[in-house]
Amino acid sequence: IRPATYGLLARRDRLDDVLRGLDAADAAGFTPIKINTVLMPGHNHDQAVELLHFCLERDYQLRFIEEMPLGPKGQWLRDSMITADRILSDLGEEFDLSPSAKPRGDAPAALWDVAAGVGKRTGTAHRGGEVGVIASVTRPFCGACDRTRLTSDGAIRNCLFSRTERPLRDLIRDGAGDDEIVAAWVGEMAIKRPGHGMDDPSFLQPDRGMSAI
């Protein structure tokens, strides 16, 4: 929510457009409005508290996502990423947090209730709400994951970090019917690996970056 930080990360000065879009979505009754945030070392790693105050004030649901190796190769460093433990520790210096009683199910975010009160560090009053942390690297939730992705060029990926994919587009172009396409999709989901191994030194980054997935 700082213009300079937004411009650095998004490479364009359009924070006002984003904020107006959020206001419009709120006015139109879209709820809940979820804000996804990745804390980047040296860029916005110190803005977690500020972002949560912003979201609580507007009744948005903030989600912190651990940085994942889905960008240009060689730029993700496990040792310097902002972990879930660091995020919760930083938030705990300002807010009273407690694990949510809501069942998580297959949701990627672990939810925490934020008690209404006055910030312990800033003295800023805030309403209650919730905050989520998607700790794909340090607290993987692969055992409950049922997600699948269809890329823009027609390939099925059963995991963001898969190094293989199933090209449904080719099946369709070869005249496959619905049953064959369903069988191919289900078959791809049936071979989902038990984990992505991101926190293991032997992990290999997928060839596709996030922008291509």
Side-chain angles (χ1 to χ4, degrees):
I1 56 174
R2 298 180 189 176
T5 303
Y6 182 90
L8 177 68
L9 295 177
R11 299 193 179 101
R12 52 187 55 82
D13 183 17
R14 296 191 60 184
L15 177 59
D16 288 344
D17 292 340
V18 173
L19 297 180
R20 283 196 297 270
L22 290 170
D23 288 341
D26 195 19
F30 291 120
T31 57
I33 293 175
K34 296 179 181 180
I35 307 294
N36 287 343
T37 299
V38 178
L39 296 180
M40 306 289 288
H43 297 314
N44 64 340
H45 68 279
D46 58 344
Q47 297 178 35
V49 166
E50 183 179 348
L51 285 164
L52 185 50
H53 271 297
F54 172 84
C55 289
L56 290 173
E57 181 181 341
R58 293 158 180 79
D59 202 27
Y60 298 159
Q61 294 185 10
L62 182 59
R63 299 288 190 271
F64 289 102
I65 306 174
E66 286 184 334
E67 183 187 3
M68 297 180 284
L70 286 168
K73 291 189 176 182
Q75 292 192 12
W76 181 79
L77 299 174
R78 170 65 180 82
D79 293 340
S80 64
M81 59 169 283
I82 308 300
T83 65
D85 287 344
R86 166 76 180 277
I87 295 166
L88 292 170
S89 175
D90 288 351
L91 294 177
E93 293 180 1
E94 174 76 356
F95 305 97
D96 288 320
L97 304 176
S98 59
S100 173
K102 296 178 181 177
R104 179 172 178 176
D106 59 5
L111 298 180
W112 298 78
D113 292 327
V114 184
V118 176
K120 293 180 280 188
R121 193 174 73 193
T122 66
T124 302
H126 59 83
R127 66 175 69 179
E130 67 179 16
V131 62
V133 178
I134 301 176
S136 301
V137 179
T138 62
R139 303 180 185 180
F141 42 88
C142 300
C145 177
D146 63 356
R147 281 161 169 71
T148 181
R149 293 175 188 263
L150 178 63
T151 66
S152 60
D153 55 356
I156 287 296
R157 296 179 65 85
N158 62 28
C159 174
L160 271 178
F161 304 97
S162 175
R163 298 187 60 79
T164 62
E165 24 184 71
R166 184 69 181 270
L168 297 189
R169 179 183 62 182
D170 295 349
L171 288 176
I172 294 171
R173 287 179 172 176
D174 289 341
D178 289 351
D179 290 345
E180 292 174 85
I181 295 169
V182 168
W185 196 321
V186 170
E188 190 64 23
M189 291 301 289
I191 59 171
K192 277 175 73 76
R193 297 177 60 190
H196 47 56
M198 239 192 303
D199 212 17
D200 188 280
S202 64
F203 172 77
L204 293 176
Q205 183 172 336
D207 293 328
R208 280 191 193 252
M210 188 67 177
S211 61
I213 296 174

